[in-house]
Amino acid sequence: DADVTQTPRNRITKTGKRIMLECSQTKGHDRMYWYRQDPGLGLRLIYYSFDVKDINKGEISDGYSVSRQAQAKFSLSLESAIPNQTALYFCATSDIYGTSGSPSSYNEQFFGPGTRLTVL
Amino acid sequence: QQQVKQSPQSLIVQKGGISIINCAYENTAFDYFPWYQQFPGKGPALLIAIRPDVSEKKEGRFTISFNKSAKQFSLHIMDSQPGDSATYFCAASSSGAGSYQLTFGKGTKLSVIP
Protein backbone atom coordinates (compact mmCIF):
# COMPACT_ATOMS: atom_id res chain seq x y z
CA ASP A 1 0.00 0.00 0.00
CA ALA A 2 1.60 3.26 -1.17
CA ASP A 3 0.14 5.10 1.85
CA VAL A 4 2.41 3.18 4.21
CA THR A 5 6.09 3.27 3.31
CA GLN A 6 9.01 1.47 4.89
CA THR A 7 12.72 2.17 4.57
CA PRO A 8 14.98 0.48 3.83
CA ARG A 9 13.33 -2.32 1.82
CA ASN A 10 16.32 -4.59 2.23
CA ARG A 11 19.18 -4.50 4.70
CA ILE A 12 22.10 -6.78 5.40
CA THR A 13 24.03 -6.11 8.57
CA LYS A 14 26.42 -7.78 10.98
CA THR A 15 25.92 -9.10 14.47
CA GLY A 16 26.18 -6.37 17.09
CA LYS A 17 25.30 -3.48 14.79
CA ARG A 18 22.53 -1.00 15.60
CA ILE A 19 19.78 -0.94 13.02
CA MET A 20 16.79 1.36 12.58
CA LEU A 21 13.81 0.55 10.39
CA GLU A 22 11.52 3.43 9.55
CA CYS A 23 7.83 3.61 8.76
CA SER A 24 5.86 6.57 7.47
CA GLN A 25 2.16 6.83 6.68
CA THR A 26 -0.04 9.37 4.95
CA LYS A 27 -3.33 7.80 6.01
CA GLY A 28 -3.75 10.02 9.04
CA HIS A 29 -4.18 6.99 11.28
CA ASP A 30 -3.44 7.16 14.98
CA ARG A 31 -2.52 3.51 15.51
CA MET A 32 0.73 2.07 14.24
CA TYR A 33 2.23 -1.40 14.63
CA TRP A 34 5.46 -3.29 14.00
CA TYR A 35 5.27 -6.99 13.10
CA ARG A 36 7.85 -9.62 12.36
CA GLN A 37 7.19 -12.40 9.82
CA ASP A 38 9.11 -15.66 9.82
CA PRO A 39 8.40 -18.62 7.53
CA GLY A 40 5.93 -20.96 9.20
CA LEU A 41 5.41 -18.63 12.16
CA GLY A 42 3.06 -16.06 10.68
CA LEU A 43 3.02 -12.46 11.84
CA ARG A 44 3.99 -11.63 15.39
CA LEU A 45 3.47 -8.25 17.02
CA ILE A 46 6.60 -6.51 18.30
CA TYR A 47 5.30 -3.11 19.43
CA TYR A 48 2.25 -0.97 18.88
CA SER A 49 1.35 2.66 19.45
CA PHE A 50 -2.09 4.22 19.73
CA ASP A 51 -0.76 7.78 19.61
CA VAL A 52 2.54 9.64 19.96
CA LYS A 53 2.46 9.34 23.76
CA ASP A 54 1.35 5.72 23.90
CA ILE A 55 3.80 2.86 23.25
CA ASN A 56 3.04 -0.74 24.13
CA LYS A 57 4.99 -3.98 24.00
CA GLY A 58 3.67 -6.77 21.85
CA GLU A 59 4.27 -10.49 21.92
CA ILE A 60 7.99 -10.41 21.08
CA SER A 61 9.46 -7.05 22.17
CA ASP A 62 12.73 -8.33 23.67
CA GLY A 63 15.73 -7.03 21.72
CA TYR A 64 13.70 -4.27 20.05
CA SER A 65 12.78 -0.68 20.84
CA VAL A 66 10.54 1.83 19.09
CA SER A 67 10.07 5.55 18.75
CA ARG A 68 6.90 7.37 17.67
CA GLN A 69 8.35 10.64 16.42
CA ALA A 70 5.06 11.97 15.08
CA GLN A 71 1.61 10.70 14.24
CA ALA A 72 2.93 9.68 10.82
CA LYS A 73 6.25 8.12 11.83
CA PHE A 74 7.05 5.00 13.83
CA SER A 75 10.59 3.60 13.94
CA LEU A 76 11.82 0.20 15.07
CA SER A 77 15.37 -0.20 16.40
CA LEU A 78 17.54 -3.21 17.00
CA GLU A 79 20.16 -1.96 19.45
CA SER A 80 22.52 -4.88 18.90
CA ALA A 81 21.38 -7.09 16.05
CA ILE A 82 21.70 -10.86 16.27
CA PRO A 83 21.22 -13.53 13.54
CA ASN A 84 18.00 -14.67 15.21
CA GLN A 85 16.49 -11.32 14.20
CA THR A 86 16.80 -12.11 10.50
CA ALA A 87 13.22 -11.79 9.26
CA LEU A 88 10.73 -9.78 7.25
CA TYR A 89 9.47 -6.74 9.18
CA PHE A 90 6.15 -5.04 8.51
CA CYS A 91 4.73 -1.77 9.69
CA ALA A 92 0.95 -1.37 9.78
CA THR A 93 -1.56 1.36 10.61
CA SER A 94 -5.21 1.48 11.57
CA ASP A 95 -7.78 4.11 12.30
CA ILE A 96 -8.99 4.56 15.87
CA TYR A 97 -12.56 5.24 14.86
CA GLY A 98 -14.97 2.91 13.14
CA THR A 99 -17.72 3.94 10.77
CA SER A 100 -19.95 4.80 13.75
CA GLY A 101 -17.57 7.54 14.79
CA SER A 102 -16.65 5.88 18.07
CA PRO A 103 -13.50 3.92 18.90
CA SER A 104 -13.65 0.47 17.41
CA SER A 105 -11.57 -2.67 17.31
CA TYR A 106 -13.15 -3.71 14.03
CA ASN A 107 -10.66 -1.78 12.00
CA GLU A 108 -8.64 -2.86 9.02
CA GLN A 109 -4.89 -2.76 9.41
CA PHE A 110 -2.97 -1.40 6.41
CA PHE A 111 0.45 -2.90 5.93
CA GLY A 112 3.56 -1.45 4.36
CA PRO A 113 5.62 -3.37 1.79
CA GLY A 114 8.01 -4.78 4.37
CA THR A 115 11.74 -4.65 5.12
CA ARG A 116 13.81 -7.77 4.62
CA LEU A 117 16.53 -7.77 7.28
CA THR A 118 19.46 -10.17 7.28
CA VAL A 119 21.81 -10.28 10.25
CA LEU A 120 25.07 -12.11 9.53
CA GLN B 1 0.95 -19.94 23.53
CA GLN B 2 -0.62 -19.97 20.11
CA GLN B 3 -4.08 -18.50 20.37
CA VAL B 4 -5.07 -18.98 16.73
CA LYS B 5 -4.30 -22.30 15.06
CA GLN B 6 -4.43 -22.38 11.25
CA SER B 7 -4.43 -25.34 8.90
CA PRO B 8 -3.25 -26.54 6.49
CA GLN B 9 0.21 -24.97 6.13
CA SER B 10 0.03 -25.37 2.38
CA LEU B 11 -2.69 -26.18 -0.10
CA ILE B 12 -2.70 -27.04 -3.79
CA VAL B 13 -5.99 -26.71 -5.65
CA GLN B 14 -6.93 -27.13 -9.28
CA LYS B 15 -8.30 -24.11 -11.11
CA GLY B 16 -12.05 -23.97 -10.59
CA GLY B 17 -11.92 -25.96 -7.37
CA ILE B 18 -12.78 -24.94 -3.82
CA SER B 19 -10.03 -23.88 -1.43
CA ILE B 20 -10.75 -24.30 2.28
CA ILE B 21 -8.57 -22.97 5.09
CA ASN B 22 -9.46 -23.55 8.72
CA CYS B 23 -8.71 -21.69 11.93
CA ALA B 24 -9.45 -22.41 15.57
CA TYR B 25 -9.12 -20.08 18.51
CA GLU B 26 -8.98 -20.44 22.27
CA ASN B 27 -9.74 -17.00 23.66
CA THR B 28 -13.50 -16.59 24.03
CA ALA B 29 -13.03 -12.82 24.29
CA PHE B 30 -12.14 -12.63 20.59
CA ASP B 31 -14.88 -10.77 18.74
CA TYR B 32 -13.42 -9.91 15.35
CA PHE B 33 -12.06 -12.41 12.84
CA PRO B 34 -10.40 -11.08 9.67
CA TRP B 35 -8.61 -12.90 6.88
CA TYR B 36 -5.57 -11.30 5.25
CA GLN B 37 -4.13 -12.14 1.83
CA GLN B 38 -0.43 -11.71 1.07
CA PHE B 39 1.20 -11.89 -2.36
CA PRO B 40 4.97 -12.44 -2.65
CA GLY B 41 6.93 -9.26 -2.00
CA LYS B 42 3.90 -7.45 -0.61
CA GLY B 43 2.44 -6.73 2.78
CA PRO B 44 -0.75 -8.50 3.87
CA ALA B 45 -4.05 -6.90 2.90
CA LEU B 46 -7.50 -7.40 4.39
CA LEU B 47 -9.59 -9.81 2.34
CA ILE B 48 -12.75 -10.33 4.38
CA ALA B 49 -13.76 -10.18 8.05
CA ILE B 50 -16.57 -11.40 10.29
CA ARG B 51 -17.96 -10.71 13.74
CA PRO B 52 -19.43 -13.52 15.90
CA ASP B 53 -23.01 -12.28 15.59
CA VAL B 54 -23.29 -13.92 12.15
CA SER B 55 -22.40 -17.44 11.02
CA GLU B 56 -21.41 -16.65 7.47
CA LYS B 57 -20.21 -13.74 5.37
CA LYS B 58 -19.79 -13.81 1.63
CA GLU B 59 -17.96 -11.40 -0.64
CA GLY B 60 -17.77 -12.54 -4.22
CA ARG B 61 -15.98 -15.89 -4.37
CA PHE B 62 -14.78 -15.60 -0.76
CA THR B 63 -16.86 -16.82 2.19
CA ILE B 64 -16.12 -16.96 5.91
CA SER B 65 -17.97 -19.60 7.90
CA PHE B 66 -18.02 -19.08 11.67
CA ASN B 67 -18.87 -21.60 14.38
CA LYS B 68 -18.93 -19.85 17.75
CA SER B 69 -19.62 -22.96 19.84
CA ALA B 70 -16.71 -24.82 18.27
CA LYS B 71 -14.50 -21.72 18.30
CA GLN B 72 -13.66 -22.27 14.66
CA PHE B 73 -13.84 -20.26 11.47
CA SER B 74 -12.89 -21.01 7.92
CA LEU B 75 -12.27 -19.34 4.58
CA HIS B 76 -13.77 -20.84 1.45
CA ILE B 77 -12.60 -19.72 -1.97
CA MET B 78 -15.01 -20.83 -4.67
CA ASP B 79 -13.95 -21.28 -8.30
CA SER B 80 -10.30 -20.84 -7.28
CA GLN B 81 -8.11 -19.04 -9.84
CA PRO B 82 -4.33 -18.94 -10.36
CA GLY B 83 -4.49 -15.27 -9.29
CA ASP B 84 -5.66 -16.44 -5.87
CA SER B 85 -2.26 -18.05 -5.29
CA ALA B 86 -0.98 -16.30 -2.17
CA THR B 87 -0.47 -16.80 1.54
CA TYR B 88 -3.60 -16.44 3.65
CA PHE B 89 -3.61 -15.52 7.33
CA CYS B 90 -6.53 -15.77 9.69
CA ALA B 91 -6.52 -13.45 12.68
CA ALA B 92 -8.55 -12.53 15.73
CA SER B 93 -8.86 -9.64 18.12
CA SER B 94 -10.73 -8.60 21.20
CA SER B 95 -12.24 -5.22 21.92
CA GLY B 96 -12.28 -5.83 25.66
CA ALA B 97 -10.09 -3.88 28.09
CA GLY B 98 -8.78 -1.67 25.31
CA SER B 99 -7.17 -4.55 23.48
CA TYR B 100 -7.21 -3.98 19.75
CA GLN B 101 -4.32 -6.21 18.78
CA LEU B 102 -4.58 -8.79 16.03
CA THR B 103 -3.37 -12.31 16.79
CA PHE B 104 -2.47 -14.06 13.54
CA GLY B 105 -2.44 -17.71 12.55
CA LYS B 106 0.75 -19.08 11.02
CA GLY B 107 -0.50 -18.78 7.46
CA THR B 108 -1.50 -21.06 4.58
CA LYS B 109 0.30 -20.95 1.25
CA LEU B 110 -2.27 -21.56 -1.48
CA SER B 111 -1.22 -22.61 -4.96
CA VAL B 112 -3.91 -22.79 -7.64
CA ILE B 113 -2.70 -24.77 -10.64
CA PRO B 114 -4.20 -24.39 -14.14
Side-chain angles (χ1 to χ4, degrees):
Chain A
D1 191 322
D3 298 322
V4 183
T5 57
Q6 293 184 235
T7 55
R9 294 295 312 278
N10 289 282
R11 182 71 183 267
I12 299 174
T13 190
K14 296 182 178 180
T15 297
K17 293 292 186 181
R18 184 179 187 274
I19 295 295
M20 179 180 285
L21 309 183
E22 299 186 344
C23 176
S24 295
Q25 53 114 345
T26 59
K27 292 187 132 350
H29 289 170
D30 287 308
R31 299 175 182 170
M32 298 187 74
Y33 312 80
W34 274 105
Y35 289 92
R36 169 178 172 160
Q37 184 177 13
D38 298 275
L41 294 181
L43 291 149
R44 293 181 291 168
L45 184 64
I46 306 173
Y47 271 95
Y48 62 102
S49 169
F50 284 174
D51 63 44
V52 293
K53 298 180 180 179
D54 179 81
I55 304 289
N56 303 279
K57 293 183 178 180
E59 178 187 353
I60 53 165
S61 60
D62 287 349
Y64 301 95
S65 63
V66 291
S67 173
R68 185 82 184 266
Q69 300 96 324
Q71 186 206 37
K73 296 184 181 295
F74 193 34
S75 300
L76 176 71
S77 293
L78 288 69
E79 295 300 326
S80 180
I82 58 175
N84 177 268
Q85 293 175 313
T86 293
L88 194 54
Y89 291 85
F90 287 101
C91 173
T93 74
S94 68
D95 195 2
I96 193 169
Y97 292 105
T99 54
S100 65
S102 58
S104 171
S105 67
Y106 307 132
N107 292 332
E108 178 179 359
Q109 288 191 16
F110 295 85
F111 284 78
T115 293
R116 184 169 297 280
L117 177 65
T118 303
V119 183
L120 301 176
Chain B
Q1 179 185 2
Q2 183 188 359
Q3 296 192 54
V4 180
K5 294 184 179 180
Q6 183 173 346
S7 63
Q9 280 190 312
S10 63
L11 182 61
I12 299 174
V13 173
Q14 289 272 350
K15 179 182 175 181
I18 301 173
S19 303
I20 301 174
I21 304 171
N22 300 300
C23 284
Y25 63 97
E26 300 163 3
N27 187 348
T28 55
F30 285 150
D31 55 6
Y32 173 62
F33 304 90
W35 285 88
Y36 279 77
Q37 180 188 54
Q38 183 183 28
F39 293 105
K42 303 291 185 181
L46 180 66
L47 180 65
I48 187 172
I50 196 169
R51 303 181 197 180
D53 52 344
V54 296
S55 60
E56 185 175 282
K57 183 174 182 180
K58 184 176 182 180
E59 291 185 0
R61 296 184 293 108
F62 300 91
T63 299
I64 299 179
S65 296
F66 184 79
N67 186 328
K68 188 175 182 178
S69 61
K71 292 186 287 185
Q72 295 176 347
F73 58 109
S74 60
L75 176 69
H76 293 64
I77 306 174
M78 310 300 289
D79 186 27
S80 298
Q81 299 297 312
D84 297 330
S85 297
T87 299
Y88 293 81
F89 295 96
C90 62
S93 72
S94 165
S95 58
S99 173
Y100 301 97
Q101 305 170 50
L102 282 175
T103 298
F104 285 88
K106 293 185 176 182
T108 297
K109 185 175 182 180
L110 172 65
S111 299
V112 181
I113 55 177

